[in-house]
Amino acid sequence: MTWQDAELAAYLERLGVPGIADVHVHFMAPQVLAKVWAYFDAAGPKLGRPWPIHYRTSDDERVETLRALGVKRFTALSYAHKPGVATFMNDWLTGFAARVPESVHSATFFPEPEAAEYVPAVIAEGARVFKAHLQVGEFAADDPLLDPVWATIEQAQVPVVLHAGSGPMPGPHTGPQGVAHVLERFPELPLVIAHLGMPEVDGFCDLAERYPNVRLDTTMTFVDFFPDRPPVDPQRLLALQDRIVFGSDFPNIPYPYAHQVEALDRLGLGDDWMRAVLWTNGADLLGS
C-alpha cells in the first residue's frame, strides 16, 4: 500500500534527519504553469501516458504543503522551452526566492546568444541552481551556443538540474552522449542528472563515476507509476551514495509525495543511504 504524506514525519524522525532537501521542485509563473498543467491534462506526446497532477493548488498552498511534509530546502525549477523566454522566467523566479526563504534561488537558460549575458547576470543576482530540459526544449547539451554558459557555470559552481535522459519519452537530443561531450570539455561542471537519467541510468552513472561534480537525482524513480521501468542495479546507487540527491517533481506528480520516499526505502540500501539522499547530499548542494 502506498505511503501517505501523513506518515512521512515519523519516518524522518526515525532516520534522525531534520527534514528533506528536494532538488527537483517546480514553481513557475502562473501563465507558464497553466500551460504546463494543460499539457499534462492532455497527456501530451512527451509524456506517453495519462498523468493526473496530485498537488493542483496555489503557490502559497504548495509552499505550505512542502513545509508540512518536512521539506526544509527546495528548488523552484522552471525551464526555458524556446528562445526569448528565459529572462522572463528568471525574473519571476527571483521574486519567488525573495518571498519564500526555504526556496533556493533558481534560474533557467536556453541555447541562444543572449544566454552568454543573462546567465552570469542572474548568478550575480544570487541564483544558486539552474534547470535545463533537453527533452522539452529539444536542444543538445553540446549546442555551441551553450559553450559560454557551461564555462560560466563551471567557474561559478552553480549546479544545473539537467533532464537529459530519454524518459518518459525520448527526444532528438536525449541520452548520455551529448552530456559526455560537454563534460569532456568542462570536466568540473556541476550537473544533477534528473530522474537518474532514466532509462539510460547506467550511462549516466558512468559519468558520475568519471566526473567529480556529476550527481543524479531520484525524481520519479522506482515509483509504482512506472511499472515498466528498466532494471537498475541498486548496488551502483549504493556505491554512488554521496552523488545521489533526492528529487520529487512536486507538484506535477500523480501520487502522494511520500510514495517517492517509500519507493527509495524499498530498495533496501540502508538508513545511512537514505539519510544521505534525503538530507545530507541535497543540503550540502543547496545549502541547509
Side-chain angles (χ1 to χ4, degrees), residues 1 4 16 19-21 49 63 70 84 121 128 141 228-229 246-247 250 277:
M1 184 175 178
Q4 299 303 308
I20 293 173
R49 67 187 67 201
V63 168
R128 292 296 173 261
D228 54 346
R229 62 184 175 269
F246 181 78
F250 177 92
V277 171

Side-chain angles (χ1 to χ4, degrees), residues 124-201:
E125 292 169 2
R128 292 296 173 261
V129 64
F130 285 92
K131 174 63 187 285
H133 205 309
L134 305 186
Q135 182 213 32
V136 170
E138 296 188 345
F139 63 88
D142 54 356
D143 188 311
L145 285 170
L146 290 177
D147 284 355
V149 171
W150 296 134
T152 296
I153 287 172
E154 183 181 46
Q155 182 177 13
Q157 285 297 294
V158 175
V160 181
V161 179
L162 182 67
H163 187 127
S166 298
M169 297 293 287
H173 303 290
T174 55
Q177 184 174 5
V179 179
H181 291 162
V182 171
L183 288 164
E184 287 168 5
R185 299 178 59 220
F186 303 98
E188 302 294 324
L189 196 63
L191 296 182
V192 179
I193 304 300
H195 309 279
L196 297 180
M198 285 281 190
E200 298 102 340
V201 178

Side-chain angles (χ1 to χ4, degrees), residues 35-55:
K35 291 180 179 179
V36 170
W37 281 354
Y39 191 88
F40 277 89
D41 291 343
K46 289 183 171 68
L47 300 175
R49 67 187 67 201
W51 198 297
I53 293 169
H54 195 79
Y55 297 95

Side-chain angles (χ1 to χ4, degrees), residues 27-280:
F27 282 91
M28 305 175 181
Q31 59 270 53
V32 177
L33 186 60
K35 291 180 179 179
V36 170
W37 281 354
Y39 191 88
F40 277 89
D41 291 343
K46 289 183 171 68
L47 300 175
R49 67 187 67 201
W51 198 297
I53 293 169
H54 195 79
Y55 297 95
R56 194 188 299 261
T57 57
S58 69
D59 284 351
D60 290 344
E61 289 171 306
R62 281 181 277 119
V63 168
E64 290 304 320
T65 296
L66 289 169
R67 289 169 175 163
L69 288 165
V71 182
K72 303 298 185 184
R73 294 291 280 164
F74 56 86
T75 56
L77 304 181
S78 191
Y79 40 89
H81 60 293
K82 62 182 181 180
V85 300
T87 33
F88 161 75
M89 292 179 174
N90 291 342
D91 288 345
W92 188 89
L93 291 167
T94 297
F96 182 83
R99 297 193 305 273
V100 182
E102 300 95 334
S103 171
V104 180
H105 187 171
S106 307
T108 188
F109 55 82
F110 194 83
E112 53 191 340
E114 296 83 358
E117 297 181 0
Y118 66 67
V119 165
V122 77
I123 291 174
E125 292 169 2
R128 292 296 173 261
V129 64
F130 285 92
K131 174 63 187 285
H133 205 309
L134 305 186
Q135 182 213 32
V136 170
E138 296 188 345
F139 63 88
D142 54 356
D143 188 311
L145 285 170
L146 290 177
D147 284 355
V149 171
W150 296 134
T152 296
I153 287 172
E154 183 181 46
Q155 182 177 13
Q157 285 297 294
V158 175
V160 181
V161 179
L162 182 67
H163 187 127
S166 298
M169 297 293 287
H173 303 290
T174 55
Q177 184 174 5
V179 179
H181 291 162
V182 171
L183 288 164
E184 287 168 5
R185 299 178 59 220
F186 303 98
E188 302 294 324
L189 196 63
L191 296 182
V192 179
I193 304 300
H195 309 279
L196 297 180
M198 285 281 190
E200 298 102 340
V201 178
D202 283 338
F204 285 108
C205 283
D206 290 344
L207 295 180
E209 290 165 354
R210 191 176 310 149
Y211 295 98
N213 293 333
V214 174
R215 299 170 175 84
L216 303 99
D217 83 32
T218 64
T219 303
M220 296 197 77
T221 54
F222 309 105
V223 296
D224 296 341
F225 185 67
F226 292 113
D228 54 346
R229 62 184 175 269
V232 176
D233 180 4
Q235 293 306 307
R236 290 201 83 179
L237 304 184
L238 183 62
L240 286 167
Q241 176 172 310
D242 63 341
R243 303 291 193 85
I244 309 295
V245 291
F246 181 78
S248 67
D249 237 343
F250 177 92
N252 303 328
I253 49 177
Y255 44 74
Y257 188 97
H259 178 52
Q260 173 72 87
V261 180
E262 173 191 21
L264 297 177
D265 182 74
R266 289 190 310 212
L267 296 176
L269 297 180
D271 287 353
D272 286 345
W273 190 85
M274 290 297 296
R275 279 189 281 266
V277 171
L278 289 177
W279 176 251
T280 307

